[in-house]
Amino acid sequence: MTEELNVGRLVNTHGIRGEIKILSSTDFPEVRFAPGKKLLVVPADGSQKFEVTVESSREHKGMYIVRLKGYTNINQIEKYKGSLLKVPGDDLVELPENEYYFHQIVGCEVYTDEDDSRPLGTIKEILQPGANDVWVVKPVKGQDILIPVINDVVLDVDIQAKKITVHLMEGLLP
């Protein structure tokens, strides 16, 4: 079974004709909620997940209003408020060169570019404080290391090998 990626949450109904309001959690809502796209509904009550097909969608006040095929009134859809919307993990939107999904980066081993190329640790999370992302690296022992994701620091990312090479600028290590 392949991993599933969260693309949104069904937060409410919209009108009485079966439309739903989705709070998007994807960088590609125009792709994920496009007509004909298939989504997995993971009900908040823990019942069996099921597949739906998007009939139409539009953005409205920071959310997406979506009509699903086969759902024509509020009573059919209201019980799914709070449900997660997912897509199969292999249904990735292709990213430009040198851009990666968070789930591809988290878990990678980080090495220095020094001659001895020593391992620093494993990326455990990604912070987004503003101008650039920051990778939180968990060393074998000691404090977490914060690595800014900038060209001067991140030299090589090998997703297949789960290995990242960085240049340690002065002041990066605690």
Side-chain angles (χ1 to χ4, degrees):
M1 171 128 174
T2 177
E3 179 188 358
E4 295 166 349
L5 304 174
N6 189 14
V7 295
R9 178 179 298 278
L10 194 161
V11 294
N12 209 343
T13 56
H14 182 78
I16 61 169
R17 300 182 202 271
E19 287 184 313
I20 55 175
K21 284 185 185 177
I22 296 174
L23 178 59
S24 175
S25 58
T26 176
D27 287 337
F28 310 103
E30 66 286 346
V31 173
R32 298 300 183 197
F33 308 128
K37 279 297 199 177
K38 297 198 180 307
L39 301 170
L40 287 171
V41 177
V42 181
D45 65 7
S47 58
Q48 186 71 34
K49 60 186 168 189
F50 58 95
E51 190 175 81
V52 294
T53 303
V54 175
E55 189 172 290
S56 66
S57 72
R58 65 187 184 279
E59 195 200 355
H60 180 70
K61 297 183 180 178
M63 298 216 190
Y64 275 78
I65 306 297
V66 176
R67 177 180 303 279
L68 301 173
K69 285 189 179 165
Y71 293 86
T72 56
N73 79 53
I74 190 172
N75 298 324
Q76 293 174 298
I77 202 78
E78 191 169 35
K79 60 187 166 199
Y80 298 114
K81 283 199 290 190
S83 298
L84 289 178
L85 298 169
K86 298 186 175 226
V87 295
D90 56 4
D91 184 13
L92 295 176
V93 173
E94 194 165 321
L95 296 176
E97 191 174 339
N98 295 325
E99 287 191 23
Y100 308 94
Y101 286 100
F102 281 22
H103 73 273
Q104 293 174 314
I105 296 296
V106 172
C108 285
E109 292 291 322
V110 179
Y111 293 84
T112 65
D113 66 338
E114 299 164 355
D115 292 335
D116 59 352
S117 186
R118 60 189 170 100
L120 285 178
T122 305
I123 296 176
K124 70 175 193 175
E125 71 176 305
I126 299 173
L127 305 176
Q128 294 183 293
N132 55 270
D133 290 352
V134 175
W135 292 338
V136 180
V137 177
K138 179 71 179 157
V140 175
K141 60 183 175 185
Q143 288 182 308
D144 289 349
I145 302 166
L146 301 178
I147 304 289
V149 183
I150 55 176
N151 291 337
D152 291 344
V153 175
V154 178
L155 302 179
D156 184 58
V157 177
D158 185 343
I159 293 299
Q160 302 307 109
K162 300 289 276 177
K163 179 181 178 183
I164 296 174
T165 305
V166 297
H167 172 70
L168 291 178
M169 297 171 80
E170 193 162 330
L172 280 183
L173 290 180

